Amino acid sequence: MAFFLSRLTPRRALLAPFHALLGRLFVAWGDVRLVEPDPESLGLDARLPVLYVLPRPALSDALLLASLARRHGLPSASGHRRVGALRLSACLALPTLRRRLWRRVSPPQAPFFDLLTQRQAHPEHEVQLVPVSVFWGRAPGKRFGFWNMLAADSWQLTGRLRRALSVMVNARNVEVHFGAPLRLGEVLGDRDPAITNRKTARLLRVHFRRVRTRVLGPDLSHRRTLIEGVATSPEVRRVIDELAVSERVSPARLQARARRYGREIASNMLYPVLRFMDGLLRRLWNRLYDGVEVRGLDDLKPLAEDHTLVYVPCHRSHIDYLLLSYVLYHEGLMPPHIAAGRNLDMPLVGPLLRRCGAFFMRRSFRDNPLYAAVFNEYLHRLLSRGHPLEYFIEGGRSRSGRLLPARPGMLAMSLRSYLRSAKGNGPQRLAFVPVYIGYERIIENASYQRELRGGRKRKETPLSLLRVIGQLRQPFGRVAVNIGAPLILSDYLDREAGDWRNNIGDSRPAWLTPLIPQLGEELSRRINAAAALNPVNLVALVLLATPHHALEASLLERQLALLVTLQRRCPGGDHASLPGGEPTAWIKKVETLGMIERRSHPLGDMLLAAPSQAGLLAWYRNNVLHLFALAGLTAFAFRHRSRHTLSELEAMLAPSWPILARELVIAPPASLRAALAEMLDLLVEQGLLCCDGGSWWRPDTPVEAGEHLRLLGQLMQPTLERGYLLIALLLEAGSGRLAREELANLSCQLAERLAVLSGLDAPEFFDTRVFVSLVESLEVQGWLWQVNGKLVFDERLPAAARLSAELFDPALRHRMQLITRRCDSESVGR
């Protein structure tokens, strides 16, 4: 049947009964996997006739479209339409040029001339043209030998035999993409119908090309050809010539080394492997998770048609690699090429990942200029040709659950490639796409806790997969994939580096080095702004705010509802998402996942986390703690002082807020005073505070309101304590006494001591990297600066510390001061 479908075209199918029989057989054989957008959202005018337009003549596409239109209640795509005096096929196709060896063939004309002529003479005969793209499977545009004949749509024009085999092989893996309806009157105006005929065909071809780029990605060259082009590129040859002189090695030997590096790095995306992984991962997700929720992808799809996309997801689990590619593939977007660490290029796993689009990089290649040149050239060729890319700007997986500071390496290479590719052709259209991936439970739970407590990171091996397979029977909840606000690189450079267009072609302008950390911070903030609240991290936020990690079930439910209300009314992230359902169901879900325990009691059930469970919950709490930074800080201010005016509150929190915002990677509001006023009004509305117009105070009754306010303020206490410890240690030592690393290490030791004395079993509380980031934040805000390698401050820091100290319990301040003095005296003694 498929052979006849490929041989016939609508013009040659003269027998309607035979046509109908083929259609019924085709409907029974085929299956549409994805229809986009929803046909009901096309906005067709029921009063006007509809003609469907295909990018090329193909009876298989026409029959599929006819059955799809009947199924979704769209205007019929079979038979003919009467439009005024014209009788036209309901499904048109743009003509394709058929070459003949014995004569030249003039380009065929688009089929809209008669319609346009009639529309110009009779404006009432308007027509809606609906472009339709049909993809029989999806290939990334490479040659795969025999599979190239069998498998899927690609950028190559297909012959009739290959088209027939494609219909047979991919009949149950079909995607249909509808375009926005186009009215002839919108393009005709007062123009000549012959000119408008060509313009209409050109507009439709541009649309079809953009959809094809979005779905298939740009056309790929053969991997061997790509590696050869990288190894012989001018940039790599220049490095080879320099090394040949400095290291006294023959250029031919260095050229062979460059090719070896290219083979070590380059991906080898294969369509059969993508199809295999699609089926495998679908079964894995069904076994592992209760579902994968995707948000924000619809807004991204139009951008994918004319921009090179660089996905920058947060990195919480090894599952991230597979999950994002799977989601993009299923949503009709081309899976990206993924930058993966060389540690994953191990037997069995490495070749599979490479064929799914992964390219491998060494952790550091600063001392290997030839490897750096090959990697930079490979990355440049991917970006300049429009291939979607994915890399993790954090550099590695987060063991604490926090978003790690952005590493500059890949961002710097991407920006240099952007400036280089813009030379001569104008700026390339490139967009960074922040992605937040949130888990209710991750596979690496145990290993993260072991490493946070000082355990050595285990090397990934194929045998480690066997341990993962043993966990497949355990529940892991749901996964959220949230797309943040894309960052259009040209627009960002216009704002932050106004004269950047004068440096096009220069891969290392003066403004580039200071801009890269700013870009990393901006992308990190956009990732966090798309965070997903789920039952596990909500319960973790509340339960870990209690001294013994235990709470009455009724109070826990009400506090969960409060957190969701605060996020809904004053969102901590512009693209953050909330869970569905009710607090009772959320608690039940966390119990099912084994993250908390319930104890029955005659006066009411209690929920608690054992020490091992509390350590795990801290990771999930840190995923979303930033969403409640302002709410927690405002509530904490009322913990030891019952009344504040807005001015007093602003003066007390202003020194801490920029540092807190930078540590938690959030965008500070334009006005802290306005944000505080809005938050205070919301807390009054929820009954947690009282207001008499000029000041706000903590109510004595009901007691429950005070408990809710205390739990909310407790969210920020560990973060604020870390900052107070570091500043107290710095002030005790004095200006110009400690270096940056020395201050961070001493603060870490002090925090660990305080955690033991206070019974706080939380390794992430004294994570050295957090203190290093805190010192950097103080330098960025101008509180500290370095002189001869030592940290120096002026009288502003002690004044700000005195204001911030009012937030803390006097007993706690006294204990921290004692520990600080003892720690400082011991360090001086050494």
Side-chain angles (χ1 to χ4, degrees), residues 1 38 77 175 228 272 294 311 350 415 447 474-475 525 556 571 573 577 591 659 667 701 710 727 746 765 781 789:
M1 182 194 74
D38 186 350
E175 294 184 10
E228 183 65 26
V294 184
Y311 298 93
L415 261 66
S447 63
Q474 302 177 21
R525 286 193 290 266
L556 176 57
S577 60
E591 288 183 71
I659 300 170
T701 56
R710 185 190 66 80
I727 293 175
L746 287 174
F765 178 72
Q781 296 300 322

PDB file of all heavy atoms in Angstrom, residues 1 38 77 175 228 272 294 311 350 415 447 474-475 525 556 571 573 577 591 659 667 701 710 727 746 765 781 789:
ATOM      1  N   MET A   1       0.825  -1.201   0.000  1.00  0.00           N
ATOM      2  CA  MET A   1       0.000   0.000   0.000  1.00  0.00           C
ATOM      3  C   MET A   1       0.861   1.255   0.000  1.00  0.00           C
ATOM      4  O   MET A   1       0.598   2.213  -0.703  1.00  0.00           O
ATOM      5  CB  MET A   1      -0.895   0.004   1.238  1.00  0.00           C
ATOM      6  CG  MET A   1      -1.821   1.196   1.307  1.00  0.00           C
ATOM      7  SD  MET A   1      -2.554   1.392   2.941  1.00  0.00           S
ATOM      8  CE  MET A   1      -1.130   1.999   3.822  1.00  0.00           C
ATOM      9  N   ASP A  38      -3.050  22.637  18.970  1.00  0.00           N
ATOM     10  CA  ASP A  38      -4.367  22.021  19.038  1.00  0.00           C
ATOM     11  C   ASP A  38      -5.223  22.573  17.900  1.00  0.00           C
ATOM     12  O   ASP A  38      -5.344  23.795  17.755  1.00  0.00           O
ATOM     13  CB  ASP A  38      -5.017  22.358  20.379  1.00  0.00           C
ATOM     14  CG  ASP A  38      -6.338  21.627  20.583  1.00  0.00           C
ATOM     15  OD1 ASP A  38      -6.833  21.016  19.606  1.00  0.00           O
ATOM     16  OD2 ASP A  38      -6.889  21.678  21.691  1.00  0.00           O
ATOM     17  N   ALA A  77     -10.385  18.021   4.245  1.00  0.00           N
ATOM     18  CA  ALA A  77      -9.161  18.162   3.471  1.00  0.00           C
ATOM     19  C   ALA A  77      -9.156  17.257   2.250  1.00  0.00           C
ATOM     20  O   ALA A  77      -8.147  17.130   1.571  1.00  0.00           O
ATOM     21  CB  ALA A  77      -7.947  17.851   4.351  1.00  0.00           C
ATOM     22  N   GLU A 175       4.237  13.168  13.026  1.00  0.00           N
ATOM     23  CA  GLU A 175       3.948  14.454  13.649  1.00  0.00           C
ATOM     24  C   GLU A 175       3.326  15.374  12.604  1.00  0.00           C
ATOM     25  O   GLU A 175       3.771  15.407  11.453  1.00  0.00           O
ATOM     26  CB  GLU A 175       5.219  15.106  14.198  1.00  0.00           C
ATOM     27  CG  GLU A 175       5.853  14.343  15.339  1.00  0.00           C
ATOM     28  CD  GLU A 175       7.048  15.067  15.904  1.00  0.00           C
ATOM     29  OE1 GLU A 175       7.254  16.250  15.518  1.00  0.00           O
ATOM     30  OE2 GLU A 175       7.791  14.481  16.717  1.00  0.00           O
ATOM     31  N   GLU A 228      37.244  16.390  10.376  1.00  0.00           N
ATOM     32  CA  GLU A 228      38.326  16.787   9.471  1.00  0.00           C
ATOM     33  C   GLU A 228      38.344  18.304   9.285  1.00  0.00           C
ATOM     34  O   GLU A 228      39.405  18.936   9.271  1.00  0.00           O
ATOM     35  CB  GLU A 228      38.160  16.093   8.121  1.00  0.00           C
ATOM     36  CG  GLU A 228      39.270  16.373   7.120  1.00  0.00           C
ATOM     37  CD  GLU A 228      40.614  15.834   7.572  1.00  0.00           C
ATOM     38  OE1 GLU A 228      40.637  14.860   8.354  1.00  0.00           O
ATOM     39  OE2 GLU A 228      41.639  16.378   7.126  1.00  0.00           O
ATOM     40  N   PRO A 272      18.371   6.138  14.417  1.00  0.00           N
ATOM     41  CA  PRO A 272      17.916   4.869  14.994  1.00  0.00           C
ATOM     42  C   PRO A 272      18.124   4.806  16.508  1.00  0.00           C
ATOM     43  O   PRO A 272      17.303   4.244  17.232  1.00  0.00           O
ATOM     44  CB  PRO A 272      18.774   3.815  14.272  1.00  0.00           C
ATOM     45  CG  PRO A 272      19.151   4.469  12.984  1.00  0.00           C
ATOM     46  CD  PRO A 272      19.319   5.921  13.311  1.00  0.00           C
ATOM     47  N   VAL A 294       5.684  19.424  31.996  1.00  0.00           N
ATOM     48  CA  VAL A 294       6.471  20.376  31.222  1.00  0.00           C
ATOM     49  C   VAL A 294       5.700  21.686  31.138  1.00  0.00           C
ATOM     50  O   VAL A 294       4.521  21.696  30.782  1.00  0.00           O
ATOM     51  CB  VAL A 294       6.767  19.837  29.805  1.00  0.00           C
ATOM     52  CG1 VAL A 294       7.663  20.797  29.043  1.00  0.00           C
ATOM     53  CG2 VAL A 294       7.403  18.458  29.883  1.00  0.00           C
ATOM     54  N   TYR A 311      20.427  25.606  25.583  1.00  0.00           N
ATOM     55  CA  TYR A 311      19.713  25.269  26.807  1.00  0.00           C
ATOM     56  C   TYR A 311      20.707  25.242  27.972  1.00  0.00           C
ATOM     57  O   TYR A 311      21.769  24.603  27.889  1.00  0.00           O
ATOM     58  CB  TYR A 311      19.036  23.909  26.676  1.00  0.00           C
ATOM     59  CG  TYR A 311      17.992  23.834  25.593  1.00  0.00           C
ATOM     60  CD1 TYR A 311      18.315  23.400  24.310  1.00  0.00           C
ATOM     61  CD2 TYR A 311      16.679  24.212  25.836  1.00  0.00           C
ATOM     62  CE1 TYR A 311      17.362  23.338  23.301  1.00  0.00           C
ATOM     63  CE2 TYR A 311      15.713  24.146  24.844  1.00  0.00           C
ATOM     64  CZ  TYR A 311      16.068  23.714  23.575  1.00  0.00           C
ATOM     65  OH  TYR A 311      15.115  23.651  22.580  1.00  0.00           O
ATOM     66  N   GLY A 350      29.146   5.556  27.320  1.00  0.00           N
ATOM     67  CA  GLY A 350      29.678   6.631  26.489  1.00  0.00           C
ATOM     68  C   GLY A 350      29.231   6.560  25.039  1.00  0.00           C
ATOM     69  O   GLY A 350      28.718   7.545  24.498  1.00  0.00           O
ATOM     70  N   LEU A 415      30.218  32.934  23.809  1.00  0.00           N
ATOM     71  CA  LEU A 415      30.230  34.349  23.433  1.00  0.00           C
ATOM     72  C   LEU A 415      31.317  34.631  22.403  1.00  0.00           C
ATOM     73  O   LEU A 415      31.104  35.416  21.464  1.00  0.00           O
ATOM     74  CB  LEU A 415      30.432  35.227  24.671  1.00  0.00           C
ATOM     75  CG  LEU A 415      29.145  35.836  25.241  1.00  0.00           C
ATOM     76  CD1 LEU A 415      28.239  34.734  25.789  1.00  0.00           C
ATOM     77  CD2 LEU A 415      29.449  36.856  26.329  1.00  0.00           C
ATOM     78  N   SER A 447      24.265   9.071  47.835  1.00  0.00           N
ATOM     79  CA  SER A 447      25.623   9.497  47.502  1.00  0.00           C
ATOM     80  C   SER A 447      25.850  10.965  47.838  1.00  0.00           C
ATOM     81  O   SER A 447      26.931  11.348  48.299  1.00  0.00           O
ATOM     82  CB  SER A 447      25.906   9.252  46.016  1.00  0.00           C
ATOM     83  OG  SER A 447      25.042  10.026  45.200  1.00  0.00           O
ATOM     84  N   GLN A 474      11.529   1.407  43.452  1.00  0.00           N
ATOM     85  CA  GLN A 474      11.182   2.383  44.481  1.00  0.00           C
ATOM     86  C   GLN A 474      10.382   3.530  43.866  1.00  0.00           C
ATOM     87  O   GLN A 474      10.526   3.835  42.688  1.00  0.00           O
ATOM     88  CB  GLN A 474      12.452   2.934  45.140  1.00  0.00           C
ATOM     89  CG  GLN A 474      13.335   1.866  45.767  1.00  0.00           C
ATOM     90  CD  GLN A 474      14.609   2.454  46.350  1.00  0.00           C
ATOM     91  OE1 GLN A 474      14.675   3.639  46.644  1.00  0.00           O
ATOM     92  NE2 GLN A 474      15.624   1.614  46.512  1.00  0.00           N
ATOM     93  N   PRO A 475       9.542   4.210  44.662  1.00  0.00           N
ATOM     94  CA  PRO A 475       8.786   5.353  44.128  1.00  0.00           C
ATOM     95  C   PRO A 475       9.661   6.604  44.078  1.00  0.00           C
ATOM     96  O   PRO A 475      10.431   6.872  44.997  1.00  0.00           O
ATOM     97  CB  PRO A 475       7.653   5.519  45.146  1.00  0.00           C
ATOM     98  CG  PRO A 475       8.215   4.987  46.425  1.00  0.00           C
ATOM     99  CD  PRO A 475       9.158   3.874  46.043  1.00  0.00           C
ATOM    100  N   ARG A 525      19.810  33.390  37.783  1.00  0.00           N
ATOM    101  CA  ARG A 525      18.589  33.963  38.356  1.00  0.00           C
ATOM    102  C   ARG A 525      17.357  33.543  37.568  1.00  0.00           C
ATOM    103  O   ARG A 525      16.287  33.291  38.144  1.00  0.00           O
ATOM    104  CB  ARG A 525      18.699  35.488  38.394  1.00  0.00           C
ATOM    105  CG  ARG A 525      19.641  36.010  39.472  1.00  0.00           C
ATOM    106  CD  ARG A 525      19.475  37.501  39.671  1.00  0.00           C
ATOM    107  NE  ARG A 525      19.969  38.266  38.536  1.00  0.00           N
ATOM    108  CZ  ARG A 525      21.184  38.781  38.438  1.00  0.00           C
ATOM    109  NH1 ARG A 525      22.052  38.614  39.427  1.00  0.00           N
ATOM    110  NH2 ARG A 525      21.547  39.468  37.373  1.00  0.00           N
ATOM    111  N   LEU A 556       0.936  21.553  60.189  1.00  0.00           N
ATOM    112  CA  LEU A 556       1.711  21.386  58.955  1.00  0.00           C
ATOM    113  C   LEU A 556       0.850  21.685  57.730  1.00  0.00           C
ATOM    114  O   LEU A 556       1.287  22.361  56.793  1.00  0.00           O
ATOM    115  CB  LEU A 556       2.269  19.960  58.885  1.00  0.00           C
ATOM    116  CG  LEU A 556       3.032  19.581  57.604  1.00  0.00           C
ATOM    117  CD1 LEU A 556       4.208  20.522  57.359  1.00  0.00           C
ATOM    118  CD2 LEU A 556       3.514  18.135  57.669  1.00  0.00           C
ATOM    119  N   PRO A 571       4.945  36.185  44.206  1.00  0.00           N
ATOM    120  CA  PRO A 571       5.820  35.106  43.730  1.00  0.00           C
ATOM    121  C   PRO A 571       7.293  35.457  43.860  1.00  0.00           C
ATOM    122  O   PRO A 571       7.717  36.569  43.574  1.00  0.00           O
ATOM    123  CB  PRO A 571       5.410  34.937  42.258  1.00  0.00           C
ATOM    124  CG  PRO A 571       4.779  36.239  41.889  1.00  0.00           C
ATOM    125  CD  PRO A 571       4.128  36.745  43.131  1.00  0.00           C
ATOM    126  N   GLY A 573       9.447  33.919  42.090  1.00  0.00           N
ATOM    127  CA  GLY A 573       9.988  33.700  40.752  1.00  0.00           C
ATOM    128  C   GLY A 573       8.915  33.935  39.715  1.00  0.00           C
ATOM    129  O   GLY A 573       7.773  33.499  39.877  1.00  0.00           O
ATOM    130  N   SER A 577       6.264  27.484  39.474  1.00  0.00           N
ATOM    131  CA  SER A 577       5.005  26.740  39.369  1.00  0.00           C
ATOM    132  C   SER A 577       4.621  26.193  40.734  1.00  0.00           C
ATOM    133  O   SER A 577       5.464  25.945  41.599  1.00  0.00           O
ATOM    134  CB  SER A 577       5.134  25.594  38.363  1.00  0.00           C
ATOM    135  OG  SER A 577       6.147  24.686  38.757  1.00  0.00           O
ATOM    136  N   GLU A 591       4.847  10.970  52.497  1.00  0.00           N
ATOM    137  CA  GLU A 591       4.892   9.734  53.287  1.00  0.00           C
ATOM    138  C   GLU A 591       5.136   8.533  52.374  1.00  0.00           C
ATOM    139  O   GLU A 591       5.937   7.642  52.685  1.00  0.00           O
ATOM    140  CB  GLU A 591       3.585   9.539  54.044  1.00  0.00           C
ATOM    141  CG  GLU A 591       3.357  10.481  55.212  1.00  0.00           C
ATOM    142  CD  GLU A 591       2.069  10.157  55.937  1.00  0.00           C
ATOM    143  OE1 GLU A 591       2.017   9.113  56.619  1.00  0.00           O
ATOM    144  OE2 GLU A 591       1.097  10.921  55.785  1.00  0.00           O
ATOM    145  N   ILE A 659      23.204  40.844  49.821  1.00  0.00           N
ATOM    146  CA  ILE A 659      24.068  39.667  50.001  1.00  0.00           C
ATOM    147  C   ILE A 659      23.237  38.399  50.018  1.00  0.00           C
ATOM    148  O   ILE A 659      23.601  37.379  49.423  1.00  0.00           O
ATOM    149  CB  ILE A 659      24.877  39.820  51.303  1.00  0.00           C
ATOM    150  CG1 ILE A 659      25.751  41.079  51.223  1.00  0.00           C
ATOM    151  CG2 ILE A 659      25.735  38.591  51.560  1.00  0.00           C
ATOM    152  CD1 ILE A 659      26.406  41.466  52.523  1.00  0.00           C
ATOM    153  N   ALA A 667      16.734  37.728  41.764  1.00  0.00           N
ATOM    154  CA  ALA A 667      16.808  39.111  41.300  1.00  0.00           C
ATOM    155  C   ALA A 667      16.215  40.018  42.373  1.00  0.00           C
ATOM    156  O   ALA A 667      15.032  39.881  42.704  1.00  0.00           O
ATOM    157  CB  ALA A 667      16.056  39.275  39.987  1.00  0.00           C
ATOM    158  N   THR A 701      -2.343  37.226  70.291  1.00  0.00           N
ATOM    159  CA  THR A 701      -3.374  36.211  70.057  1.00  0.00           C
ATOM    160  C   THR A 701      -3.883  36.378  68.626  1.00  0.00           C
ATOM    161  O   THR A 701      -3.913  37.501  68.110  1.00  0.00           O
ATOM    162  CB  THR A 701      -4.553  36.383  71.039  1.00  0.00           C
ATOM    163  OG1 THR A 701      -5.056  37.715  70.919  1.00  0.00           O
ATOM    164  CG2 THR A 701      -4.103  36.118  72.458  1.00  0.00           C
ATOM    165  N   ARG A 710       6.574  32.360  63.165  1.00  0.00           N
ATOM    166  CA  ARG A 710       7.866  31.826  63.595  1.00  0.00           C
ATOM    167  C   ARG A 710       8.400  30.814  62.592  1.00  0.00           C
ATOM    168  O   ARG A 710       9.585  30.828  62.228  1.00  0.00           O
ATOM    169  CB  ARG A 710       7.724  31.179  64.973  1.00  0.00           C
ATOM    170  CG  ARG A 710       9.058  30.698  65.566  1.00  0.00           C
ATOM    171  CD  ARG A 710       8.825  29.859  66.799  1.00  0.00           C
ATOM    172  NE  ARG A 710       8.142  28.609  66.492  1.00  0.00           N
ATOM    173  CZ  ARG A 710       8.768  27.531  65.989  1.00  0.00           C
ATOM    174  NH1 ARG A 710      10.051  27.564  65.709  1.00  0.00           N
ATOM    175  NH2 ARG A 710       8.083  26.433  65.737  1.00  0.00           N
ATOM    176  N   ILE A 727      30.890  37.545  59.321  1.00  0.00           N
ATOM    177  CA  ILE A 727      31.190  38.951  59.590  1.00  0.00           C
ATOM    178  C   ILE A 727      31.740  39.125  60.998  1.00  0.00           C
ATOM    179  O   ILE A 727      32.663  39.910  61.242  1.00  0.00           O
ATOM    180  CB  ILE A 727      29.933  39.805  59.360  1.00  0.00           C
ATOM    181  CG1 ILE A 727      29.562  39.790  57.879  1.00  0.00           C
ATOM    182  CG2 ILE A 727      30.150  41.241  59.824  1.00  0.00           C
ATOM    183  CD1 ILE A 727      28.278  40.500  57.555  1.00  0.00           C
ATOM    184  N   LEU A 746      38.009  29.416  58.091  1.00  0.00           N
ATOM    185  CA  LEU A 746      37.731  29.622  59.505  1.00  0.00           C
ATOM    186  C   LEU A 746      36.231  29.695  59.770  1.00  0.00           C
ATOM    187  O   LEU A 746      35.732  29.174  60.768  1.00  0.00           O
ATOM    188  CB  LEU A 746      38.423  30.899  59.993  1.00  0.00           C
ATOM    189  CG  LEU A 746      39.946  30.834  60.147  1.00  0.00           C
ATOM    190  CD1 LEU A 746      40.503  32.213  60.497  1.00  0.00           C
ATOM    191  CD2 LEU A 746      40.347  29.823  61.213  1.00  0.00           C
ATOM    192  N   PHE A 765      25.097  23.191  56.145  1.00  0.00           N
ATOM    193  CA  PHE A 765      25.194  24.431  56.904  1.00  0.00           C
ATOM    194  C   PHE A 765      26.638  24.927  56.926  1.00  0.00           C
ATOM    195  O   PHE A 765      26.880  26.132  56.964  1.00  0.00           O
ATOM    196  CB  PHE A 765      24.686  24.206  58.331  1.00  0.00           C
ATOM    197  CG  PHE A 765      24.777  25.421  59.215  1.00  0.00           C
ATOM    198  CD1 PHE A 765      23.915  26.487  59.035  1.00  0.00           C
ATOM    199  CD2 PHE A 765      25.727  25.497  60.227  1.00  0.00           C
ATOM    200  CE1 PHE A 765      24.001  27.618  59.846  1.00  0.00           C
ATOM    201  CE2 PHE A 765      25.808  26.615  61.034  1.00  0.00           C
ATOM    202  CZ  PHE A 765      24.949  27.677  60.844  1.00  0.00           C
ATOM    203  N   GLN A 781      29.492  43.780  46.724  1.00  0.00           N
ATOM    204  CA  GLN A 781      28.687  44.864  47.291  1.00  0.00           C
ATOM    205  C   GLN A 781      29.530  46.002  47.837  1.00  0.00           C
ATOM    206  O   GLN A 781      28.982  47.022  48.264  1.00  0.00           O
ATOM    207  CB  GLN A 781      27.776  44.313  48.391  1.00  0.00           C
ATOM    208  CG  GLN A 781      26.752  43.312  47.904  1.00  0.00           C
ATOM    209  CD  GLN A 781      25.814  43.893  46.864  1.00  0.00           C
ATOM    210  OE1 GLN A 781      25.413  45.050  46.948  1.00  0.00           O
ATOM    211  NE2 GLN A 781      25.471  43.092  45.863  1.00  0.00           N
ATOM    212  N   GLY A 789      46.526  41.034  49.215  1.00  0.00           N
ATOM    213  CA  GLY A 789      46.003  39.704  49.457  1.00  0.00           C
ATOM    214  C   GLY A 789      45.186  39.557  50.726  1.00  0.00           C
ATOM    215  O   GLY A 789      44.716  38.462  51.025  1.00  0.00           O
TER     216      GLY A 789
END
